[in-house]
């Protein structure tokens, strides 16, 4: 499989070509180039997956880890060096399929969504750079290579979130995302250095003797690495960048914040899973607790948001928490060493990537037609956008865990793993699953069922809108074919992905893991989802939605706090501006200006004065030099004679 080196290389070449060509390239040519390259990458990824899994397991009953390309980049010692290469195993091959599929759909979708936008060529160049970075991250052969591409992903997301660089909110969001994740990545880097020093290697599979000898330092290193993963995957309290990142183009949200970048932290924990479960089970359980709190926290906030993209953003945070929980509840007291939770996490990562990308792209089609992100400007759109309506409904049913859609199968496995770990954890995650169904159908009814009065269409009338024969008001039109094709494709995948025997391909130890649904747990979770959907239907389906405002009135304090994201951003603002900047930074700046700079300025002043006083010694007059020389010589002679 030597050709797999082309999977990250081709998007990088596309980035260079599109970036250097700039405005000299026609927008249509730039879009066609980006789509064509990603089409080739997707085909190569599918061929890789087919070739890898069809080859079967080895004599030991597990899929082998292949390194078709591996080269030493930075040699330090005979035993410690940094390599760059391609690692193919079950989870890296799975991630290649996810990234290439979603990225290709986003490239195709963007051809219609971004039509006429200034910087169209730049946009496709940034998409290619991001895809290359994610590909390099998931096929990394060692933790340091992963970190290099991890940082490239951060740069790419900064460029894409801030694509509308003339819009202050987009610029602020891109800086916020970059700064928050950089602070988190500092912990990741520290963990890598501690891990490399005590394990004696940057490999994902170090010698067991080295890990045993390291003692508590390995759990410390893995915990520090998780800080980086928590930043990338927007775990509390490092989640604050993700909702604001919705200021970027909506297709970017589908690519970065639904399927790839935001699950990089989950992938990191899964990649280091043998070390976690073997030598740091307490740290692994901490991952689960953080994921559970984050999932509940984000789900509550999503219930009251009015911007459709921010509802989906908090939904992403909550669902990523589900994946973290599935990994965190794993224990080593079974033959698969936590196989159920590990498999469930990766399964949900796969299914979530498809239906969440579908939700974001569907939201983009709605925004493209209505020219607003706010629910108040929507309603009744099922009549005007039937394809978007059906595909969006499929995604809502999937994320709610309704059978036979894919989310039901993966979420049920997570709940089974949670109940196996602790009944309290299982009950909590079931409740959060019910909240998920509630806020998603609140969103669905607001968009497609509530009465549409054409307010947004009147304000933003354009050529893509027609006039309703009854009201004679301008109404939205369905998205163009370039946007609806990805919606249909992802909807089909969402319908069938749950029937994939995922455990036969991905498990914690590479062995065949047969998925067996626990129908008791499944029944409870489905009932919770159905009840939540019924409540959402009762509250939000009607034309006037009489009961929609009742919770806001009855629970005014909680509602206001949730709407303002429990004021976490304000806490960060207070800590940074009032404490760090005012109480720490300003005194340090005063000391720097008045003491440090004053001392250096004093040295410069003394040097300047002294040089002015003695500059006559270097006058350049030969007679003066002769007098001084003779005077000095005579003085020395007299001193010597006296001695």
């Amino acid at each position: 499989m030597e050709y797999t080196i082309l999977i990250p290389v081709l998007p990088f070449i596309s980035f260079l070509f599109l970036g250097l060509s700039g405005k000299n390239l026609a927008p249509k040519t730039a879009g066609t180039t980006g789509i064509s390259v990603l089409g080739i990458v997707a085909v190569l990824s599918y061929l890789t997956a087919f070739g890898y899994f069809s080859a079967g397991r080895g004599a030991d009953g597990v899929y082998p880890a292949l390194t078709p390309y591996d080269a030493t980049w930075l040699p330090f010692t005979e035993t410690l060096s940094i390599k760059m290469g391609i690692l193919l195993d079950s989870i890296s091959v799975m991630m290649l399929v996810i990234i290439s599929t979603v990225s290709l759909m986003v490239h195709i979708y963007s051809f219609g969504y971004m039509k006429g936008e200034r910087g169209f060529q730049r946009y496709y160049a940034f998409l290619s750079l991001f895809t290359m970075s994610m590909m390099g991250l998931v096929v990394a052969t060692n933790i340091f290579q992963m970190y290099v591409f991890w940082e490239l992903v951060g740069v790419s997301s900064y460029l894409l979130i801030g694509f509308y660089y003339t819009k202050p909110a987009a610029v602020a969001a891109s800086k916020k995302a970059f700064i928050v994740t950089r602070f988190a990545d500092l912990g990741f880097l520290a963990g890598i250095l501690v891990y490399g020093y005590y394990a004696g290697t940057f490999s994902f599979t170090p010698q067991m003797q080295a890990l045993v000898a390291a003692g508590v330092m390995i759990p410390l290193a893995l915990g520090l690495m998780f800080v980086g993963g928590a930043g990338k995957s927007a775990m509390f309290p490092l989640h604050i960048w993700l909702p604001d990142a919705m200021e970027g183009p909506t297709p970017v949200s589908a690519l970065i914040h639904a399927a790839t970048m935001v699950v990089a932290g989950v992938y990191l924990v899964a990649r280091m899973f043998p070390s976690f479960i073997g030598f740091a089970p307490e740290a692994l359980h901490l991952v689960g607790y953080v994921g559970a709190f984050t999932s509940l926290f984000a789900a509550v906030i999503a219930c009251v948001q009015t911007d459709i993209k921010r509802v989906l953003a908090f939904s992403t945070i909550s669902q990523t928490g589900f994946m973290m929980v599935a990994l965190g509840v794993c224990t080593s007291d079974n033959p698969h060493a936590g196989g159920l939770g590990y498999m469930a996490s990766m399964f949900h990562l796969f299914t979530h990537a498809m239906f969440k990308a579908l939700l974001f792209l569907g939201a983009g089609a709605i925004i493209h037609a209505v020219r607003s992100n706010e629910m108040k400007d929507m309603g009744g759109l099922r009549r005007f956008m039937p394809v978007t309506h059906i595909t969006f409904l499929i995604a809502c049913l999937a994320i709610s865990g309704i059978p036979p859609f894919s989310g039901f199968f993966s979420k049920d496995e997570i709940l089974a793993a949670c109940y196996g770990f602790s009944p309290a954890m299982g009950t909590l995650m079931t409740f959060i699953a019910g909240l998920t169904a509630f806020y998603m159908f609140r969103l669905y009814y607001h968009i497609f069922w509530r009465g549409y009065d054409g307010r947004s269409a009147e304000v933003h009338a354009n050529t893509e809108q027609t006039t309703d024969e009854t009201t004679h008001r301008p109404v939205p039109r369905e998205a163009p074919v370039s946007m609806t094709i990805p919606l249909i494709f992802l909807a089909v995948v969402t319908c069938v992905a749950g029937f994939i025997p995922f455990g036969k391909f991905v498990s914690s130890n590479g062995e065949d893991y047969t998925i067996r649904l626990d129908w008791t747990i499944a029944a409870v979770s489905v009932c919770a989802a159905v009840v939540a959907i019924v409540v959402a239907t009762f509250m939000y389906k009607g034309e006037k939605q009489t009961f929609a405002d009742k919770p806001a009135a009855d629970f005014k304090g909680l509602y206001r706090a949730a709407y303002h994201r429990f004021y976490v951003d304000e806490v960060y603002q207070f800590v940074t501006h009032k404490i760090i900047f005012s109480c720490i930074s300003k005194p340090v700046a005063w000391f720097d200006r008045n003491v440090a700079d004053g001392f250096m300025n004093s040295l410069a002043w003394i040097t300047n004065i002294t040089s002015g006083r003695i500059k006559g010694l270097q006058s350049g007059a030969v007679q003066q030099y002769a007098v001084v020389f003779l005077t000095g010589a005579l003085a020395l002679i007299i001193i010597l004679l006296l001695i």
Side-chain angles (χ1 to χ4, degrees):
M1 294 186 176
E2 291 82 1
Y3 65 84
T4 51
I5 188 64
L6 296 174
I7 293 176
V9 167
L10 286 177
F12 182 65
I13 294 174
S14 175
F15 160 70
L16 292 178
F17 174 72
L18 295 174
L20 294 176
S21 298
K23 294 182 179 179
N24 297 323
L25 205 62
K28 186 175 181 180
T29 304
T32 304
T33 301
I35 293 170
S36 300
V37 170
L38 257 295
I40 296 172
V41 170
V43 170
L44 292 176
S45 298
Y46 299 152
L47 288 175
T48 301
F50 178 79
Y52 180 82
F53 289 117
S54 64
R57 293 180 168 84
D60 55 357
V62 302
Y63 285 110
L66 307 178
T67 53
Y69 179 81
D70 197 25
T72 300
W73 179 37
L74 294 175
F76 294 123
T77 66
E78 293 182 0
T79 58
L80 185 62
S81 62
I82 298 177
K83 295 186 176 183
M84 286 284 181
I86 303 290
L87 172 64
L88 299 178
D89 62 3
S90 57
I91 60 171
S92 65
V93 171
M94 175 201 70
M95 290 298 295
L96 288 179
V97 172
I98 293 173
I99 297 167
S100 60
T101 300
V102 176
S103 184
L104 178 60
M105 293 301 105
V106 168
H107 274 71
I108 296 172
Y109 181 94
S110 298
F111 199 78
Y113 187 89
M114 300 296 290
K115 183 179 180 181
E117 289 278 6
R118 182 181 178 185
F120 189 86
Q121 301 90 329
R122 174 169 52 90
Y123 171 81
Y124 269 92
F126 292 165
L127 283 184
S128 296
L129 177 63
F130 177 83
T131 304
M132 180 276 295
S133 303
M134 275 304 304
M135 293 294 191
L137 188 155
V138 299
V139 299
T141 59
N142 58 82
I143 193 69
F144 211 99
Q145 180 186 343
M146 176 184 280
Y147 180 75
V148 171
F149 285 97
W150 186 280
E151 294 304 313
L152 283 174
V153 167
V155 172
S156 307
S157 65
Y158 169 79
L159 296 172
L160 286 167
I161 296 169
F163 174 76
Y164 298 120
Y165 59 86
T166 58
K167 184 180 177 183
V171 174
S174 64
K175 290 193 294 184
K176 187 175 184 179
F178 191 80
I179 292 170
V180 171
T181 53
R182 292 295 73 70
F183 273 103
D185 292 350
L186 180 62
F188 187 16
L189 179 60
I192 291 173
L193 296 178
V194 173
Y195 177 86
Y197 179 81
Y198 285 97
T201 179
F202 292 116
S203 171
F204 297 122
T205 55
Q207 294 293 325
M208 184 175 294
Q209 295 84 349
L211 298 184
V212 172
V216 298
M217 300 310 294
I218 294 302
L220 173 64
L222 294 173
L224 289 170
M225 289 184 195
F226 173 65
V227 173
K232 222 47 148 209
S233 291
M235 294 290 100
F236 182 90
L238 300 172
H239 67 284
I240 59 172
W241 66 270
L242 186 62
D244 289 351
M246 297 300 107
E247 295 293 340
T250 303
V252 168
S253 301
L255 179 62
I256 295 180
H257 309 123
T260 53
M261 171 183 168
V262 84
V263 297
V266 179
Y267 180 79
L268 170 64
V269 176
R271 175 56 74 192
M272 302 301 297
F273 185 78
S275 298
F276 266 107
I277 201 166
F279 299 93
E282 294 81 8
L284 189 62
H285 296 333
L286 178 62
V287 170
Y289 296 135
V290 172
F293 179 81
T294 301
S295 188
L296 176 62
F297 176 84
V300 172
I301 295 175
C303 290
V304 300
Q305 296 300 300
T306 58
D307 183 317
I308 63 173
K309 287 180 66 177
R310 279 174 170 75
V311 173
L312 296 179
F314 281 104
S315 171
T316 298
I317 296 172
S318 183
Q319 295 302 302
T320 307
F322 266 87
M323 302 172 205
M324 289 291 192
V325 168
L327 291 170
V329 299
C330 292
T331 58
S332 57
D333 57 353
N334 65 69
H336 274 272
L340 175 58
Y342 181 94
M343 184 279 301
S345 179
M346 297 297 99
F347 194 13
H348 198 58
L349 191 157
F350 177 79
T351 60
H352 174 265
M354 302 305 166
F355 61 68
K356 184 53 68 66
L358 175 57
L359 285 168
F360 268 110
L361 295 184
I366 295 161
I367 295 169
H368 186 264
V370 179
R371 296 296 192 268
S372 174
N373 291 26
E374 291 294 326
M375 293 181 187
K376 63 181 178 62
D377 296 324
M378 302 169 190
L381 296 184
R382 69 188 187 282
R383 293 182 291 146
F384 314 117
M385 308 177 70
V387 175
T388 303
H389 169 232
I390 295 299
T391 55
F392 199 92
L393 176 59
I394 289 172
C396 287
L397 291 169
I399 195 174
S400 300
I402 301 298
F405 303 99
S406 59
F408 161 74
F409 296 94
S410 57
K411 189 171 289 187
D412 181 75
E413 296 302 304
I414 292 178
L415 295 178
C418 290
Y419 277 108
F421 177 77
S422 163
M425 182 68 83
T427 303
L428 173 63
M429 299 312 293
T430 301
F431 173 72
I432 298 172
L435 277 183
T436 302
F438 173 78
Y439 68 68
M440 286 309 304
F441 274 84
R442 169 182 176 266
L443 176 66
Y444 166 74
Y445 286 124
H446 266 294
I447 296 172
F448 295 105
W449 285 84
R450 185 175 60 85
Y452 179 78
D453 59 11
R455 284 175 296 178
S456 180
E458 288 178 336
V459 175
H460 302 283
N462 57 64
T463 56
E464 296 184 1
Q465 291 162 333
T466 57
T467 302
D468 186 274
E469 295 180 357
T470 304
T471 63
H472 301 289
R473 288 178 173 178
V475 296
R477 289 177 57 185
E478 184 62 271
V481 175
S482 61
M483 294 169 63
T484 54
I485 287 177
L487 295 180
I488 295 171
F489 176 84
L490 290 170
V492 171
V493 174
T494 298
C495 290
V496 302
F499 298 99
I500 297 174
F502 197 81
K504 293 184 177 296
F505 304 108
V506 178
S507 64
S508 61
N509 61 358
E511 296 178 359
D512 189 350
Y513 189 95
T514 302
I515 298 176
R516 296 182 179 88
L517 285 175
D518 187 323
W519 289 107
T520 302
I521 295 174
V524 172
S525 65
V526 171
C527 287
V530 170
V531 169
I533 293 172
V534 169
V535 173
T537 303
F538 176 74
M539 293 178 63
Y540 301 109
K541 184 183 177 183
E543 292 288 324
K544 296 184 178 180
Q545 301 183 353
T546 308
F547 299 97
D549 297 329
K550 188 172 177 56
D554 293 343
F555 306 97
K556 188 178 298 183
L558 177 61
Y559 187 93
R560 186 185 299 113
Y563 182 79
H564 291 285
R565 312 175 194 179
F566 292 102
Y567 303 102
V568 175
D569 287 79
E570 286 77 5
V571 171
Y572 270 102
Q573 196 80 356
F574 176 81
V575 171
T576 54
H577 286 74
K578 299 298 183 180
I579 298 179
I580 297 178
F581 293 168
S582 298
C583 300
I584 300 176
S585 299
K586 284 185 179 180
V588 170
W590 181 90
F591 180 85
D592 181 64
R593 287 192 303 268
N594 295 278
V595 179
D597 287 354
F599 175 71
M600 299 306 297
N601 291 337
S602 298
L603 289 180
W605 180 80
I606 293 171
T607 302
N608 191 43
I609 293 298
T610 304
S611 63
R613 299 288 185 184
I614 66 174
K615 65 181 180 180
L617 297 176
Q618 297 290 332
S619 64
V622 177
Q623 298 90 335
Q624 181 182 351
Y625 293 166
V627 171
V628 173
F629 174 77
L630 291 174
T631 302
L634 288 172
L636 288 174
I637 292 171
I638 292 171
I639 290 171
L640 291 173
L641 290 174
L642 291 175
I643 293 174

